[in-house]
Amino acid sequence: MEINQKKSSSTLGNTLRLLNFFNMNEPEFTLSELAEKLGVGHSTIHRLTMTLMQEGFLARDLVTKKFRLGSSILAVEKTILSYYDICQISHPVLEKLVQETGEAAHVSILKGHKVVYLQKIDSPNYAHLLSHEGKENPIHATNTGLVILAYRCQSEIEEVIAEGLSPYTSHTIKHPQQFKERLTKIRKEGYSYSKDELHLGFSSIAAPVKSSSGKVTYAVSIAGPSSRITPYRVQELSKAVMDAADELAIRNYGNKRAMKI
């Protein structure tokens, strides 16, 4: 009985680890690559992938033979995101923000040292933004991550710095002191503006959603082409984003306490 329980636990652990290998930077893997990453033999990886395919959590390209996440993941992701109280009330706030600015709007939260987009409303002005609900991005190169981190304790800030401020473009802040100064500026101004820091050609503005005690769990942001979100429009656009964040704070913190990742 105990042996079967250990085997079941090991299988579950391997399954969850396998699913976590897939991300936006590495969306596909061969069977051999998955076996190597998981550190298991061919029979084990074959059994795991076949089970996940049968349940819709993995799909396999018929030409390349590579595995990718299946449609069942999307259903689970949507269900999880819908449990956040803020997602029940943020849609009209984001819709209004999109109408006012003409840019895509997001609500985000931190998950470890990553930013997760909980909700997104697309812009009527098409822009190929690499964001979607459930997508994770690095804190230090993402405005929503910066405005949440700016209100966290010093030890958490130091942890992010210690993990490395990897450059995504030539505009990404890479030096710890400059990074700390950026967070100080955010606390002073109440918003963050970035240009080409995560993706060249795209800019964003974000503001914190503050509780009555000043705690920040969520952030609101707009993002779009740098040709539209220009330095000349920052004052106008940042006010719209901060107003949206304030409205969301009023709506959210009148409800029961929101879930955390």
PDB file of all heavy atoms in Angstrom, residues 226-254:
ATOM      1  N   SER A 226       4.852  52.282 -29.040  1.00  0.00           N
ATOM      2  CA  SER A 226       5.539  53.476 -28.533  1.00  0.00           C
ATOM      3  C   SER A 226       5.219  54.703 -29.372  1.00  0.00           C
ATOM      4  O   SER A 226       5.355  55.836 -28.901  1.00  0.00           O
ATOM      5  CB  SER A 226       7.053  53.248 -28.520  1.00  0.00           C
ATOM      6  OG  SER A 226       7.382  52.179 -27.658  1.00  0.00           O
ATOM      7  N   SER A 227       4.770  54.486 -30.585  1.00  0.00           N
ATOM      8  CA  SER A 227       4.390  55.608 -31.448  1.00  0.00           C
ATOM      9  C   SER A 227       3.109  56.277 -30.970  1.00  0.00           C
ATOM     10  O   SER A 227       2.841  57.431 -31.312  1.00  0.00           O
ATOM     11  CB  SER A 227       4.209  55.119 -32.888  1.00  0.00           C
ATOM     12  OG  SER A 227       3.197  54.120 -32.959  1.00  0.00           O
ATOM     13  N   ARG A 228       2.312  55.548 -30.146  1.00  0.00           N
ATOM     14  CA  ARG A 228       1.080  56.126 -29.604  1.00  0.00           C
ATOM     15  C   ARG A 228       1.237  56.521 -28.141  1.00  0.00           C
ATOM     16  O   ARG A 228       0.731  57.567 -27.712  1.00  0.00           O
ATOM     17  CB  ARG A 228      -0.082  55.136 -29.752  1.00  0.00           C
ATOM     18  CG  ARG A 228      -0.522  54.903 -31.185  1.00  0.00           C
ATOM     19  CD  ARG A 228      -1.965  54.439 -31.263  1.00  0.00           C
ATOM     20  NE  ARG A 228      -2.210  53.197 -30.557  1.00  0.00           N
ATOM     21  CZ  ARG A 228      -2.370  52.019 -31.147  1.00  0.00           C
ATOM     22  NH1 ARG A 228      -2.253  51.914 -32.460  1.00  0.00           N
ATOM     23  NH2 ARG A 228      -2.630  50.941 -30.432  1.00  0.00           N
ATOM     24  N   ILE A 229       1.919  55.679 -27.364  1.00  0.00           N
ATOM     25  CA  ILE A 229       2.170  56.026 -25.956  1.00  0.00           C
ATOM     26  C   ILE A 229       3.514  56.751 -25.909  1.00  0.00           C
ATOM     27  O   ILE A 229       4.556  56.166 -25.623  1.00  0.00           O
ATOM     28  CB  ILE A 229       2.173  54.760 -25.068  1.00  0.00           C
ATOM     29  CG1 ILE A 229       0.853  54.009 -25.219  1.00  0.00           C
ATOM     30  CG2 ILE A 229       2.391  55.128 -23.601  1.00  0.00           C
ATOM     31  CD1 ILE A 229       0.758  52.746 -24.390  1.00  0.00           C
ATOM     32  N   THR A 230       3.466  58.025 -26.216  1.00  0.00           N
ATOM     33  CA  THR A 230       4.674  58.846 -26.311  1.00  0.00           C
ATOM     34  C   THR A 230       4.908  59.615 -25.021  1.00  0.00           C
ATOM     35  O   THR A 230       3.983  59.802 -24.215  1.00  0.00           O
ATOM     36  CB  THR A 230       4.556  59.844 -27.468  1.00  0.00           C
ATOM     37  OG1 THR A 230       3.501  60.778 -27.157  1.00  0.00           O
ATOM     38  CG2 THR A 230       4.231  59.131 -28.775  1.00  0.00           C
ATOM     39  N   PRO A 231       6.146  60.097 -24.807  1.00  0.00           N
ATOM     40  CA  PRO A 231       6.430  60.914 -23.614  1.00  0.00           C
ATOM     41  C   PRO A 231       5.520  62.135 -23.507  1.00  0.00           C
ATOM     42  O   PRO A 231       5.209  62.580 -22.403  1.00  0.00           O
ATOM     43  CB  PRO A 231       7.889  61.323 -23.823  1.00  0.00           C
ATOM     44  CG  PRO A 231       8.472  60.222 -24.646  1.00  0.00           C
ATOM     45  CD  PRO A 231       7.372  59.828 -25.585  1.00  0.00           C
ATOM     46  N   TYR A 232       5.071  62.659 -24.645  1.00  0.00           N
ATOM     47  CA  TYR A 232       4.208  63.839 -24.645  1.00  0.00           C
ATOM     48  C   TYR A 232       2.811  63.544 -24.118  1.00  0.00           C
ATOM     49  O   TYR A 232       2.087  64.449 -23.714  1.00  0.00           O
ATOM     50  CB  TYR A 232       4.104  64.400 -26.076  1.00  0.00           C
ATOM     51  CG  TYR A 232       5.439  64.749 -26.681  1.00  0.00           C
ATOM     52  CD1 TYR A 232       6.036  63.915 -27.608  1.00  0.00           C
ATOM     53  CD2 TYR A 232       6.117  65.901 -26.291  1.00  0.00           C
ATOM     54  CE1 TYR A 232       7.281  64.215 -28.155  1.00  0.00           C
ATOM     55  CE2 TYR A 232       7.360  66.217 -26.826  1.00  0.00           C
ATOM     56  CZ  TYR A 232       7.932  65.373 -27.753  1.00  0.00           C
ATOM     57  OH  TYR A 232       9.167  65.678 -28.278  1.00  0.00           O
ATOM     58  N   ARG A 233       2.434  62.260 -24.119  1.00  0.00           N
ATOM     59  CA  ARG A 233       1.092  61.879 -23.662  1.00  0.00           C
ATOM     60  C   ARG A 233       1.096  61.236 -22.276  1.00  0.00           C
ATOM     61  O   ARG A 233       0.042  60.842 -21.773  1.00  0.00           O
ATOM     62  CB  ARG A 233       0.457  60.898 -24.649  1.00  0.00           C
ATOM     63  CG  ARG A 233       0.228  61.454 -26.048  1.00  0.00           C
ATOM     64  CD  ARG A 233      -0.608  60.479 -26.848  1.00  0.00           C
ATOM     65  NE  ARG A 233      -1.960  60.347 -26.302  1.00  0.00           N
ATOM     66  CZ  ARG A 233      -2.747  59.286 -26.472  1.00  0.00           C
ATOM     67  NH1 ARG A 233      -2.284  58.228 -27.151  1.00  0.00           N
ATOM     68  NH2 ARG A 233      -3.959  59.248 -25.958  1.00  0.00           N
ATOM     69  N   VAL A 234       2.253  61.128 -21.675  1.00  0.00           N
ATOM     70  CA  VAL A 234       2.361  60.423 -20.397  1.00  0.00           C
ATOM     71  C   VAL A 234       1.480  61.047 -19.321  1.00  0.00           C
ATOM     72  O   VAL A 234       0.802  60.339 -18.568  1.00  0.00           O
ATOM     73  CB  VAL A 234       3.831  60.370 -19.920  1.00  0.00           C
ATOM     74  CG1 VAL A 234       3.903  59.885 -18.473  1.00  0.00           C
ATOM     75  CG2 VAL A 234       4.636  59.434 -20.804  1.00  0.00           C
ATOM     76  N   GLN A 235       1.484  62.366 -19.220  1.00  0.00           N
ATOM     77  CA  GLN A 235       0.688  63.020 -18.175  1.00  0.00           C
ATOM     78  C   GLN A 235      -0.801  62.709 -18.344  1.00  0.00           C
ATOM     79  O   GLN A 235      -1.496  62.368 -17.384  1.00  0.00           O
ATOM     80  CB  GLN A 235       0.903  64.533 -18.213  1.00  0.00           C
ATOM     81  CG  GLN A 235       0.202  65.265 -17.074  1.00  0.00           C
ATOM     82  CD  GLN A 235       0.562  66.744 -17.015  1.00  0.00           C
ATOM     83  OE1 GLN A 235       1.346  67.240 -17.818  1.00  0.00           O
ATOM     84  NE2 GLN A 235      -0.013  67.460 -16.064  1.00  0.00           N
ATOM     85  N   GLU A 236      -1.271  62.810 -19.581  1.00  0.00           N
ATOM     86  CA  GLU A 236      -2.681  62.534 -19.875  1.00  0.00           C
ATOM     87  C   GLU A 236      -3.028  61.069 -19.628  1.00  0.00           C
ATOM     88  O   GLU A 236      -4.016  60.748 -18.952  1.00  0.00           O
ATOM     89  CB  GLU A 236      -2.948  62.889 -21.346  1.00  0.00           C
ATOM     90  CG  GLU A 236      -4.212  62.321 -21.923  1.00  0.00           C
ATOM     91  CD  GLU A 236      -4.149  62.180 -23.446  1.00  0.00           C
ATOM     92  OE1 GLU A 236      -3.201  62.696 -24.078  1.00  0.00           O
ATOM     93  OE2 GLU A 236      -5.064  61.528 -23.995  1.00  0.00           O
ATOM     94  N   LEU A 237      -2.212  60.177 -20.144  1.00  0.00           N
ATOM     95  CA  LEU A 237      -2.494  58.752 -20.034  1.00  0.00           C
ATOM     96  C   LEU A 237      -2.307  58.222 -18.615  1.00  0.00           C
ATOM     97  O   LEU A 237      -3.068  57.360 -18.155  1.00  0.00           O
ATOM     98  CB  LEU A 237      -1.613  57.970 -21.005  1.00  0.00           C
ATOM     99  CG  LEU A 237      -1.858  58.225 -22.496  1.00  0.00           C
ATOM    100  CD1 LEU A 237      -0.827  57.492 -23.342  1.00  0.00           C
ATOM    101  CD2 LEU A 237      -3.266  57.803 -22.891  1.00  0.00           C
ATOM    102  N   SER A 238      -1.290  58.712 -17.917  1.00  0.00           N
ATOM    103  CA  SER A 238      -1.050  58.237 -16.544  1.00  0.00           C
ATOM    104  C   SER A 238      -2.205  58.610 -15.627  1.00  0.00           C
ATOM    105  O   SER A 238      -2.556  57.852 -14.722  1.00  0.00           O
ATOM    106  CB  SER A 238       0.265  58.798 -16.003  1.00  0.00           C
ATOM    107  OG  SER A 238       0.228  60.212 -15.925  1.00  0.00           O
ATOM    108  N   LYS A 239      -2.811  59.781 -15.858  1.00  0.00           N
ATOM    109  CA  LYS A 239      -3.966  60.173 -15.046  1.00  0.00           C
ATOM    110  C   LYS A 239      -5.119  59.210 -15.262  1.00  0.00           C
ATOM    111  O   LYS A 239      -5.794  58.799 -14.295  1.00  0.00           O
ATOM    112  CB  LYS A 239      -4.412  61.595 -15.390  1.00  0.00           C
ATOM    113  CG  LYS A 239      -5.582  62.081 -14.515  1.00  0.00           C
ATOM    114  CD  LYS A 239      -6.030  63.473 -14.882  1.00  0.00           C
ATOM    115  CE  LYS A 239      -7.099  63.965 -13.900  1.00  0.00           C
ATOM    116  NZ  LYS A 239      -8.257  63.028 -13.795  1.00  0.00           N
ATOM    117  N   ALA A 240      -5.347  58.810 -16.513  1.00  0.00           N
ATOM    118  CA  ALA A 240      -6.422  57.866 -16.807  1.00  0.00           C
ATOM    119  C   ALA A 240      -6.169  56.517 -16.140  1.00  0.00           C
ATOM    120  O   ALA A 240      -7.084  55.889 -15.586  1.00  0.00           O
ATOM    121  CB  ALA A 240      -6.553  57.686 -18.322  1.00  0.00           C
ATOM    122  N   VAL A 241      -4.914  56.067 -16.159  1.00  0.00           N
ATOM    123  CA  VAL A 241      -4.563  54.782 -15.543  1.00  0.00           C
ATOM    124  C   VAL A 241      -4.697  54.856 -14.024  1.00  0.00           C
ATOM    125  O   VAL A 241      -5.242  53.938 -13.394  1.00  0.00           O
ATOM    126  CB  VAL A 241      -3.131  54.360 -15.932  1.00  0.00           C
ATOM    127  CG1 VAL A 241      -2.738  53.077 -15.202  1.00  0.00           C
ATOM    128  CG2 VAL A 241      -3.020  54.152 -17.437  1.00  0.00           C
ATOM    129  N   MET A 242      -4.227  55.952 -13.422  1.00  0.00           N
ATOM    130  CA  MET A 242      -4.338  56.102 -11.966  1.00  0.00           C
ATOM    131  C   MET A 242      -5.796  56.216 -11.530  1.00  0.00           C
ATOM    132  O   MET A 242      -6.191  55.670 -10.491  1.00  0.00           O
ATOM    133  CB  MET A 242      -3.536  57.316 -11.496  1.00  0.00           C
ATOM    134  CG  MET A 242      -2.037  57.106 -11.554  1.00  0.00           C
ATOM    135  SD  MET A 242      -1.070  58.417 -10.735  1.00  0.00           S
ATOM    136  CE  MET A 242      -1.267  59.748 -11.921  1.00  0.00           C
ATOM    137  N   ASP A 243      -6.612  56.901 -12.320  1.00  0.00           N
ATOM    138  CA  ASP A 243      -8.042  57.006 -12.005  1.00  0.00           C
ATOM    139  C   ASP A 243      -8.689  55.623 -12.047  1.00  0.00           C
ATOM    140  O   ASP A 243      -9.522  55.280 -11.206  1.00  0.00           O
ATOM    141  CB  ASP A 243      -8.744  57.943 -12.990  1.00  0.00           C
ATOM    142  CG  ASP A 243      -8.419  59.408 -12.752  1.00  0.00           C
ATOM    143  OD1 ASP A 243      -7.852  59.717 -11.678  1.00  0.00           O
ATOM    144  OD2 ASP A 243      -8.717  60.232 -13.639  1.00  0.00           O
ATOM    145  N   ALA A 244      -8.296  54.815 -13.042  1.00  0.00           N
ATOM    146  CA  ALA A 244      -8.841  53.456 -13.158  1.00  0.00           C
ATOM    147  C   ALA A 244      -8.417  52.610 -11.967  1.00  0.00           C
ATOM    148  O   ALA A 244      -9.216  51.830 -11.419  1.00  0.00           O
ATOM    149  CB  ALA A 244      -8.371  52.816 -14.461  1.00  0.00           C
ATOM    150  N   ALA A 245      -7.152  52.745 -11.551  1.00  0.00           N
ATOM    151  CA  ALA A 245      -6.641  51.986 -10.401  1.00  0.00           C
ATOM    152  C   ALA A 245      -7.386  52.393  -9.129  1.00  0.00           C
ATOM    153  O   ALA A 245      -7.731  51.536  -8.300  1.00  0.00           O
ATOM    154  CB  ALA A 245      -5.150  52.228 -10.242  1.00  0.00           C
ATOM    155  N   ASP A 246      -7.639  53.682  -8.979  1.00  0.00           N
ATOM    156  CA  ASP A 246      -8.371  54.168  -7.801  1.00  0.00           C
ATOM    157  C   ASP A 246      -9.812  53.643  -7.802  1.00  0.00           C
ATOM    158  O   ASP A 246     -10.342  53.246  -6.753  1.00  0.00           O
ATOM    159  CB  ASP A 246      -8.376  55.699  -7.771  1.00  0.00           C
ATOM    160  CG  ASP A 246      -7.013  56.282  -7.443  1.00  0.00           C
ATOM    161  OD1 ASP A 246      -6.158  55.542  -6.932  1.00  0.00           O
ATOM    162  OD2 ASP A 246      -6.802  57.486  -7.703  1.00  0.00           O
ATOM    163  N   GLU A 247     -10.452  53.670  -8.964  1.00  0.00           N
ATOM    164  CA  GLU A 247     -11.825  53.169  -9.060  1.00  0.00           C
ATOM    165  C   GLU A 247     -11.884  51.680  -8.740  1.00  0.00           C
ATOM    166  O   GLU A 247     -12.795  51.215  -8.039  1.00  0.00           O
ATOM    167  CB  GLU A 247     -12.375  53.424 -10.465  1.00  0.00           C
ATOM    168  CG  GLU A 247     -13.823  52.986 -10.623  1.00  0.00           C
ATOM    169  CD  GLU A 247     -14.393  53.270 -11.999  1.00  0.00           C
ATOM    170  OE1 GLU A 247     -13.722  53.955 -12.803  1.00  0.00           O
ATOM    171  OE2 GLU A 247     -15.513  52.791 -12.284  1.00  0.00           O
ATOM    172  N   LEU A 248     -10.906  50.947  -9.221  1.00  0.00           N
ATOM    173  CA  LEU A 248     -10.865  49.505  -8.951  1.00  0.00           C
ATOM    174  C   LEU A 248     -10.613  49.237  -7.474  1.00  0.00           C
ATOM    175  O   LEU A 248     -11.171  48.288  -6.902  1.00  0.00           O
ATOM    176  CB  LEU A 248      -9.783  48.851  -9.803  1.00  0.00           C
ATOM    177  CG  LEU A 248      -9.818  47.322  -9.923  1.00  0.00           C
ATOM    178  CD1 LEU A 248     -11.199  46.837 -10.342  1.00  0.00           C
ATOM    179  CD2 LEU A 248      -8.776  46.855 -10.912  1.00  0.00           C
ATOM    180  N   ALA A 249      -9.796  50.074  -6.837  1.00  0.00           N
ATOM    181  CA  ALA A 249      -9.528  49.924  -5.405  1.00  0.00           C
ATOM    182  C   ALA A 249     -10.814  50.113  -4.600  1.00  0.00           C
ATOM    183  O   ALA A 249     -11.099  49.358  -3.661  1.00  0.00           O
ATOM    184  CB  ALA A 249      -8.474  50.927  -4.965  1.00  0.00           C
ATOM    185  N   ILE A 250     -11.596  51.117  -4.986  1.00  0.00           N
ATOM    186  CA  ILE A 250     -12.852  51.380  -4.288  1.00  0.00           C
ATOM    187  C   ILE A 250     -13.817  50.218  -4.463  1.00  0.00           C
ATOM    188  O   ILE A 250     -14.453  49.759  -3.509  1.00  0.00           O
ATOM    189  CB  ILE A 250     -13.491  52.681  -4.823  1.00  0.00           C
ATOM    190  CG1 ILE A 250     -12.637  53.888  -4.425  1.00  0.00           C
ATOM    191  CG2 ILE A 250     -14.914  52.842  -4.283  1.00  0.00           C
ATOM    192  CD1 ILE A 250     -13.061  55.180  -5.084  1.00  0.00           C
ATOM    193  N   ARG A 251     -13.912  49.711  -5.689  1.00  0.00           N
ATOM    194  CA  ARG A 251     -14.816  48.588  -5.968  1.00  0.00           C
ATOM    195  C   ARG A 251     -14.356  47.317  -5.267  1.00  0.00           C
ATOM    196  O   ARG A 251     -15.158  46.576  -4.701  1.00  0.00           O
ATOM    197  CB  ARG A 251     -14.882  48.315  -7.473  1.00  0.00           C
ATOM    198  CG  ARG A 251     -15.621  49.374  -8.285  1.00  0.00           C
ATOM    199  CD  ARG A 251     -15.508  49.070  -9.772  1.00  0.00           C
ATOM    200  NE  ARG A 251     -16.233  50.031 -10.570  1.00  0.00           N
ATOM    201  CZ  ARG A 251     -17.230  49.711 -11.409  1.00  0.00           C
ATOM    202  NH1 ARG A 251     -17.599  48.454 -11.524  1.00  0.00           N
ATOM    203  NH2 ARG A 251     -17.830  50.635 -12.113  1.00  0.00           N
ATOM    204  N   ASN A 252     -13.038  47.048  -5.322  1.00  0.00           N
ATOM    205  CA  ASN A 252     -12.522  45.773  -4.825  1.00  0.00           C
ATOM    206  C   ASN A 252     -12.502  45.682  -3.310  1.00  0.00           C
ATOM    207  O   ASN A 252     -12.910  44.679  -2.739  1.00  0.00           O
ATOM    208  CB  ASN A 252     -11.106  45.541  -5.352  1.00  0.00           C
ATOM    209  CG  ASN A 252     -10.581  44.158  -4.976  1.00  0.00           C
ATOM    210  OD1 ASN A 252     -11.138  43.143  -5.374  1.00  0.00           O
ATOM    211  ND2 ASN A 252      -9.527  44.125  -4.188  1.00  0.00           N
ATOM    212  N   TYR A 253     -12.035  46.705  -2.658  1.00  0.00           N
ATOM    213  CA  TYR A 253     -11.853  46.583  -1.216  1.00  0.00           C
ATOM    214  C   TYR A 253     -13.121  46.861  -0.418  1.00  0.00           C
ATOM    215  O   TYR A 253     -13.103  46.859   0.806  1.00  0.00           O
ATOM    216  CB  TYR A 253     -10.678  47.460  -0.767  1.00  0.00           C
ATOM    217  CG  TYR A 253      -9.377  46.917  -1.326  1.00  0.00           C
ATOM    218  CD1 TYR A 253      -8.687  47.597  -2.334  1.00  0.00           C
ATOM    219  CD2 TYR A 253      -8.877  45.709  -0.891  1.00  0.00           C
ATOM    220  CE1 TYR A 253      -7.524  47.068  -2.876  1.00  0.00           C
ATOM    221  CE2 TYR A 253      -7.715  45.171  -1.426  1.00  0.00           C
ATOM    222  CZ  TYR A 253      -7.041  45.860  -2.413  1.00  0.00           C
ATOM    223  OH  TYR A 253      -5.895  45.331  -2.961  1.00  0.00           O
ATOM    224  N   GLY A 254     -14.239  47.008  -1.158  1.00  0.00           N
ATOM    225  CA  GLY A 254     -15.538  47.022  -0.494  1.00  0.00           C
ATOM    226  C   GLY A 254     -16.090  45.617  -0.453  1.00  0.00           C
ATOM    227  O   GLY A 254     -17.076  45.353   0.209  1.00  0.00           O
TER     228      GLY A 254
END
